[in-house]
Amino acid sequence: MFYSLTGKLIHTEAYLAVVECGGVGYRCMTSLTTLSCLPPAGERVTLYTHLNVREDALDLFGFYSMNELDAFKKLIGVSGVGPKSALAILSDMTPDRLALCIASGDAKSLTRAPGVGVKLAQRLILELKDKISKAELASGVGEAAVQIGADGSGMNEAAAALCTLGYSQSQAAEALAGLAADLPVDELIRQALKKVARL
């Protein structure tokens, strides 16, 4: 029903932002990630929204990026995952990092979010693994590679990231062959994933 809201940010608190549009203040539940991206109160803001309809309430959720909104919709589409759990997960990690955790089967990282136990983390991985796009994976791997640090060469980091995604060492080596070694790690991974898709 609502695609987005654009107006003046008039109030924020934990998991909540209020945006005034045409004299009406819209109460949007949101993640801590989105809250960290918002401007100070009184500034103009756009939130991408999702209206959650329940028997006893209409809840509006707002996110700073379309990427985060898409991740939220995927999460609440999983059996047993409600909006509160989805917000907790997206407050703990970015959508790109979430995509990487799901693709690599990293249930441990998912359980760091409040209210997410091992069984729920495993269900998320099982149900969402096939719904994660290559672009989301490339972004997630690039983000993880930045966090790894500069201990090894970019090629080594890219190869390790591809292996984390489930590719064999030979597939990773073949995908990285011929790419410029001085490219940033995230770009190496993006180009390697494109090559792997064509193999």
Side-chain angles (χ1 to χ4, degrees):
M1 183 177 179
F2 297 106
Y3 180 81
S4 66
L5 291 175
T6 299
K8 184 167 71 172
L9 182 67
I10 58 173
H11 176 72
T12 59
E13 59 185 69
Y15 298 100
L16 178 71
V18 181
V19 180
E20 184 181 88
C21 305
V24 178
Y26 290 88
R27 181 180 184 270
C28 298
M29 286 177 276
T30 190
S31 69
L32 300 180
T33 303
T34 284
L35 286 174
S36 70
C37 297
L38 295 179
E43 298 288 321
R44 191 173 174 82
V45 69
T46 295
L47 293 179
Y48 297 97
T49 57
H50 171 77
L51 181 64
N52 191 54
V53 180
R54 296 184 298 160
E55 288 182 13
D56 57 345
L58 296 174
D59 296 322
L60 190 61
F61 295 84
F63 300 93
Y64 193 72
S65 70
M66 185 59 78
N67 194 17
E68 192 175 13
L69 173 61
D70 289 342
F72 177 78
K73 287 179 178 178
K74 284 177 185 168
L75 287 169
I76 63 173
V78 173
S79 173
V81 179
K84 188 175 179 181
S85 294
L87 288 181
I89 292 168
L90 291 172
S91 292
D92 185 65
M93 61 181 65
T94 65
D96 293 335
R97 179 70 181 147
L98 172 64
L100 180 59
C101 288
I102 289 167
S104 63
D106 185 3
K108 186 176 180 182
S109 292
L110 292 170
T111 58
R112 288 193 320 227
V116 179
V118 175
K119 286 185 179 179
L120 182 55
Q122 290 171 342
R123 189 181 313 132
L124 284 167
I125 291 167
L126 181 67
E127 293 192 28
L128 294 180
K129 198 163 194 171
D130 294 335
K131 297 180 182 177
I132 302 299
S133 71
K134 291 287 185 185
E136 289 172 308
L137 287 182
S139 295
V141 171
E143 181 181 314
V146 169
Q147 294 172 355
I148 289 171
D151 293 338
S153 72
M155 282 290 189
N156 288 341
E157 290 180 21
L162 289 170
C163 289
T164 300
L165 290 174
Y167 296 103
S168 68
Q169 289 184 345
S170 61
Q171 287 174 317
E174 187 177 354
L176 291 167
L179 298 180
D182 60 345
L183 286 172
V185 176
D186 59 340
E187 186 58 29
L188 281 170
I189 294 163
R190 282 191 189 94
Q191 291 191 24
L193 285 172
K194 286 180 186 175
K195 284 179 69 176
V196 168
R198 293 195 297 266
L199 294 176

